[in-house]
Amino acid sequence: GAVVSQHPSWVICKSGTSVKIECRSLDFQATTMFWYRQFPKQSLMLMATSNEGSKATYEQGVEKDKFLINHASLTLSTLTVTSAHPEDSSFYICSATGTGLSYEQYFGPGTRLTVT
Amino acid sequence: GEDVEQSLFLSVREGDSSVINCTYTDSSSTYLYWYKQEPGAGLQLLTYIFSNMDMKQDQRLTVLLNKKDKHLSLRIADTQTGDSAIYFCAERIVGNNRKLIWGLGTSLAVNP
């Protein structure tokens, strides 16, 4: 149980376009979802925390207008990278935690974004 | 502030034990975790330990927690080539909306 999926698993987009990444909890209600960014051979950088039905809380240095996060339901959160640039190319990972899952974040498989 | 540190690399021979170490600074941590990440993949929770425990064993994995020294270790017995991955230590702090503080990860290379 406690499976998190991400879609797409990889995406290539042109500079200036926007791309949306979906994160779904498949078999539990995700009251809180987290979005991370990971650069090659580096640790996870938390971008934002979103609670269902509320605005996301962004970490310092993360542009909220550039990385739009929506968590409108208990099973779906989306991250939209607006006006993407090559420096936004990265591995984006979401995780989720929910009621009764107090000790663990369940991670999605990640989305590889390449901006050309 | 909140900080988690790990050594970046570890190389062992197949069949040997691996010990990955982690230190943290925040004494209000509630849970401490070890996650495994294989190349190009997401993170897999390996094991966790509650902050009032000293040790936890789960098959080939042994977690030791020294709360006084704020030191956490992960021992993998009989290390196999399939254990080659990056291992992340993370701590969860009281009342922090379940946010995790992450180490940079230890890259484990298992040589045949």
Side-chain angles (χ1 to χ4, degrees):
Chain A
V3 178
V4 175
S5 69
Q6 279 185 244
H7 178 79
S9 53
W10 59 270
V11 58
I12 301 172
C13 70
K14 289 190 176 178
S15 190
T17 62
S18 295
V19 62
K20 182 185 284 189
I21 301 169
E22 292 185 349
C23 177
R24 291 182 187 273
S25 59
L26 299 185
D27 51 4
F28 67 100
Q29 294 187 323
T31 51
T32 305
M33 283 186 167
F34 302 85
W35 285 96
Y36 294 88
R37 184 174 179 178
Q38 187 180 32
F39 292 100
K41 298 184 180 179
Q42 291 192 25
S43 188
L44 298 160
M45 183 192 82
L46 179 65
M47 299 174 67
T49 304
S50 73
N51 293 303
E52 184 265 338
S54 305
K55 285 186 179 179
T57 302
Y58 289 81
E59 295 298 302
Q60 195 171 7
V62 178
E63 298 175 62
K64 58 182 70 175
D65 293 332
K66 181 165 185 63
F67 298 100
L68 300 178
I69 291 170
N70 183 286
H71 189 173
S73 80
L74 283 170
T75 58
L76 174 65
S77 176
T78 60
L79 166 67
T80 302
V81 183
T82 62
S83 187
H85 291 285
E87 56 265 31
D88 299 324
S89 298
S90 194
F91 194 52
Y92 292 88
I93 305 174
C94 74
S95 71
T97 186
T99 306
L101 303 173
S102 59
Y103 57 83
E104 182 177 349
Q105 287 184 25
Y106 294 88
F107 282 81
T111 297
R112 172 78 55 198
L113 170 64
T114 302
V115 184
T116 61
Chain B
E2 307 153 346
D3 194 21
V4 175
E5 294 190 355
Q6 301 176 237
S7 53
L8 295 182
F9 301 100
L10 177 66
S11 180
V12 300
R13 276 194 189 169
E14 190 173 16
D16 288 349
S17 292
S18 310
V19 179
I20 303 171
N21 295 299
C22 170
T23 57
Y24 58 98
T25 56
D26 199 305
S27 56
S28 66
S29 57
T30 54
Y31 291 95
L32 294 123
Y33 304 84
W34 285 104
Y35 283 87
K36 177 183 180 182
Q37 185 180 34
E38 297 184 32
L43 279 82
Q44 171 197 355
L45 176 68
L46 280 181
T47 187
Y48 68 96
I49 189 167
F50 189 49
S51 58
N52 68 354
M53 296 169 65
D54 299 323
M55 185 183 93
K56 181 178 181 181
Q57 187 152 3
D58 183 3
Q59 299 182 341
R60 291 192 297 126
L61 305 178
T62 303
V63 179
L64 295 177
L65 175 60
N66 182 328
K67 200 167 181 182
K68 175 175 167 288
D69 294 338
K70 299 191 185 70
H71 182 266
L72 181 74
S73 68
L74 173 69
R75 178 177 180 269
I76 305 172
D78 186 25
T79 313
Q80 303 297 307
T81 53
D83 295 323
S84 295
I86 300 176
Y87 291 80
F88 291 96
C89 169
E91 64 167 338
R92 183 177 143 202
I93 297 169
V94 171
N96 208 346
N97 197 23
R98 302 180 178 181
K99 176 180 168 180
L100 296 179
I101 310 300
W102 295 86
L104 289 179
T106 299
S107 180
L108 173 64
V110 182
N111 305 305

